[in-house]
Amino acid sequence: MAVMEVRKKHCWERAEADMWQENSFVAFGGDVSPQPTERATLDREHYCGKATMQKEFDTVWTKAWLIAGIERDLEEPGDFITFDIAHESILITRTEDGGLSAVYNVCQHRGNRLHIQPYGSVARAHTCPYHGWSYGLDGTLLNVPDRDRFSPGVDCAAKSLKSVNVGTSNGLIWVNLAVDPLPLEDFLGSLVGELMPYRLEAMHVVREQTCELDANWKTVIDNFAEVYHVDFIHAQHASFVNCRDARVDLFPYGHTVFRVDGYVVNPRYPVPDEPPPILSGALQALGLDPGDFHGRVDEIRRAAQVQKRKLGARAGFDYSALTDDQVSDIWQYNLFPNTIMTVKPEEVWIMRQRPHPTDPQKCFFDKITLAMPVRQSDDETSLVLIGDVEAAKAMKSGQRPEREVFTQADVTNGSMSMTETVDQDIFYLPYMQAGMNSAGFDEAVLSDDENRIRHFHDWLATWMAGQIPRPS
Ligand code: FES
Ligand SMILES: [Fe+2]
């Protein structure tokens, strides 16, 4: 459905809010303040400039921990993924001892990429397709064809693949290109524990998409850092989430979270007597009768929490460590610098922005959908709990889905979709970018309800100034 049609269909008169988003600074428990020390200027250079792009590479992309992939993709020795960031490519492999090796995806002979596919598996070695140099799973140079033709000889130890830092947390693989990085556990702090009940490590990839966007990576992050736009471009949300009273926590290093109540109507609008169509559909999916909620729309969230716990147990989903809020609500973590993670107990979206290698006004928008495994014998209960039903059904085949790569035009012409909501965002992002690249644009002006944007950019400025604190 086109963006404007959605708006017309769902929009009704909007009142001024009598409550507002709550914003709180939250420390990780150590002595690192959640407050950044620098202040960013959100101007044309910040979003469009090549100098800013280069500085971000030097101070952020090569200094911060980045999500490179999903640990489940590397179950067996020889399984590998590649992760491209700006002009670099990193190769991560499960080694024979069960560990992980992360190296630059660069052959030491004359620099060819060892792998160009996003994931795969090798038996014992990575072999460069150009002249056949081969490297062990840990990156050690093993074999050089016609080795005696290299007159001075080849020192295998010196010509092994160049390693980078790698770590795991919450089922995700993280890499860091710095020589002496901030430890991953300090970088993530209490977020590791917050995410633990969702058990990402038990989930499977059910869909993976990359959209090539005509927008700076930060333009996309900003879009997913505020709900000020939701009533306007996602009018359908007013009938199933409460964005007005979102709770926001602002963490050290630039991470943030939104906690948005689900299974409710937005209280900016009159509460209807009957559940609106989207909530009715959600109730029916949970096996509840919307007719039972006549005049009781404000009781739906609690009913959904109770019913989801029942259905979850039947589907084999373990909700025991989740609070009731986590069962019904949509929490969205923005993990500095480039990942937006929307978490629900059955399904997680990892939306990662990667900068283009040369053009600051382009980026790659990856969306990886993880879902709890569906049992072969299941009676479809688990499928209704997982939002992306088609993808979850495909999971039953046991095949990991291939990465779909497409452009913004493919989304706007309807041939590809990243869900109705994300498609609506994608429609606007290139226009935001074009506007910020105009002589008619001075600097972004932010409301208190856009504090996540301010927090992210001020921490970005702090990283760019090389002022990253470490816990003592
Ligand atoms: S560039 Fe890899 S073997 Fe020659
Ligand atoms: Fe949006």
Side-chain angles (χ1 to χ4, degrees):
M1 190 183 292
V3 172
M4 289 307 153
E5 287 169 35
V6 170
R7 185 164 175 189
K8 210 164 140 196
K9 184 173 165 204
H10 294 279
C11 217
W12 60 95
E13 203 176 330
R14 177 178 186 266
E16 284 303 305
D18 54 7
M19 272 183 73
W20 297 103
Q21 179 177 301
E22 275 174 45
N23 300 291
S24 312
F25 284 104
V26 177
F28 280 158
D31 55 359
V32 172
S33 170
Q35 308 227 28
T37 55
E38 303 294 313
R39 186 153 176 102
T41 304
L42 308 186
D43 59 6
R44 183 180 183 178
E45 169 59 32
H46 189 66
Y47 289 98
C48 313
K50 286 215 165 182
T52 298
M53 181 187 200
Q54 180 61 46
K55 191 154 192 204
E56 286 171 352
F57 182 79
D58 295 340
T59 59
V60 177
W61 303 119
T62 54
K63 298 292 182 294
W65 286 95
L66 307 171
I67 294 175
I70 312 300
E71 211 180 344
R72 183 169 287 280
D73 277 336
L74 302 181
E75 287 190 315
E76 301 295 329
D79 290 350
F80 70 84
I81 58 169
T82 57
F83 168 58
D84 295 346
I85 185 75
H87 61 274
E88 295 291 10
S89 179
I90 307 300
L91 170 64
I92 302 136
T93 310
R94 179 69 66 190
T95 52
E96 268 130 4
D97 63 2
L100 290 176
S101 99
V103 294
Y104 285 96
N105 182 16
V106 176
C107 180
Q108 297 299 294
H109 175 217
R110 280 173 41 213
N112 189 39
R113 288 262 191 270
L114 292 163
H115 295 285
I116 54 172
Q117 65 269 47
Y119 54 88
S121 192
V122 293
R124 281 196 187 77
H126 296 290
T127 301
C128 178
Y130 206 8
H131 311 95
W133 283 35
S134 67
Y135 303 86
L137 303 183
D138 64 354
T140 305
L141 179 59
L142 298 178
N143 188 48
V144 175
D146 301 331
R147 188 169 181 163
D148 52 1
R149 298 296 299 154
F150 288 81
S151 298
V154 178
D155 178 349
C156 283
K159 286 296 175 190
S160 292
L161 300 173
K162 291 197 184 309
S163 65
V164 301
N165 305 286
V166 63
T168 58
S169 177
N170 302 92
L172 305 173
I173 299 167
W174 304 72
V175 295
N176 191 310
L177 309 190
V179 174
D180 178 25
L182 177 72
L184 178 60
E185 57 271 26
D186 293 335
F187 178 69
L188 294 175
S190 57
L191 297 176
V192 174
E194 276 210 28
L195 288 168
M196 214 170 271
Y198 291 98
R199 301 192 309 126
L200 273 67
E201 67 283 356
M203 294 185 173
H204 291 247
V205 177
V206 295
R207 197 181 290 278
E208 182 172 8
Q209 299 175 307
T210 295
C211 181
E212 298 169 5
L213 271 183
D214 288 333
N216 182 272
W217 67 278
K218 301 185 293 291
T219 307
V220 190
I221 298 289
D222 290 358
N223 170 78
F224 287 97
E226 49 90 0
V227 284
Y228 188 26
H229 71 274
V230 168
D231 286 355
F232 301 96
I233 76 167
H234 311 299
Q236 75 275 17
H237 283 222
S239 60
F240 66 96
V241 283
N242 174 6
C243 288
R244 187 195 71 171
D245 305 328
R247 297 171 309 286
V248 167
D249 287 339
L250 308 167
F251 299 103
Y253 303 119
H255 312 297
T256 62
V257 66
F258 252 149
R259 306 182 205 274
V260 176
D261 289 359
Y263 295 94
V264 291
V265 294
N266 185 336
R268 261 185 198 267
Y269 304 97
V271 178
D273 284 337
E274 304 296 337
I278 293 180
L279 268 188
S280 291
L283 285 167
Q284 283 163 341
L286 294 178
L288 297 172
D289 181 357
D292 291 345
F293 292 89
H294 173 80
R296 297 171 50 222
V297 167
D298 55 356
E299 294 175 33
I300 291 175
R301 179 166 172 262
R302 180 63 196 142
Q305 290 168 347
V306 172
Q307 184 71 355
K308 281 185 81 173
R309 284 200 190 276
K310 262 192 225 160
L311 293 180
R314 199 189 301 163
F317 295 169
D318 180 2
Y319 292 166
S320 58
L322 295 159
T323 65
D324 285 342
D325 290 353
Q326 287 172 312
V327 168
S328 59
D329 299 347
I330 297 166
W331 289 7
Q332 186 205 71
Y333 292 85
N334 284 14
L335 303 178
F336 187 90
N338 63 334
T339 299
I340 299 131
M341 196 187 289
T342 302
V343 294
K344 295 193 293 178
E346 311 81 14
E347 184 192 54
V348 168
W349 293 355
I350 296 171
M351 296 187 284
R352 178 181 63 185
Q353 316 310 318
R354 289 178 294 120
H356 188 273
T358 56
D359 188 344
Q361 302 208 67
K362 292 183 190 295
C363 73
F364 302 101
F365 177 170
D366 302 322
K367 179 166 177 271
I368 302 170
T369 305
L370 303 178
M372 279 295 173
V374 176
R375 294 186 299 207
Q376 293 296 333
S377 58
D378 201 271
D379 62 354
E380 309 292 308
T381 306
S382 47
L383 295 179
V384 302
L385 290 170
I386 294 172
D388 194 335
V389 172
E390 288 311 310
K393 274 185 183 162
M395 178 165 51
K396 281 192 168 186
S397 72
Q399 284 292 312
R400 186 209 191 278
E402 290 194 5
R403 181 183 292 178
E404 303 164 358
V405 180
F406 47 89
T407 65
Q408 189 244 354
D410 294 323
V411 174
T412 49
N413 71 23
S415 57
M416 295 302 295
S417 175
M418 299 177 90
T419 72
E420 181 183 56
T421 299
V422 176
D423 294 352
Q424 290 163 339
D425 292 314
I426 284 177
F427 177 85
Y428 284 99
L429 289 168
Y431 295 112
M432 296 284 292
Q433 185 65 37
M436 292 192 292
N437 193 32
S438 163
F441 177 72
D442 290 329
E443 189 180 338
V445 181
L446 300 177
S447 81
D448 295 346
D449 289 340
E450 296 171 294
N451 267 357
R452 288 176 91 200
I453 297 179
R454 171 53 60 200
H455 187 73
F456 162 72
H457 288 280
D458 289 351
W459 266 102
L460 177 65
T462 304
W463 282 84
M464 289 172 76
Q467 301 291 336
I468 293 309
R470 295 188 180 220
S472 54

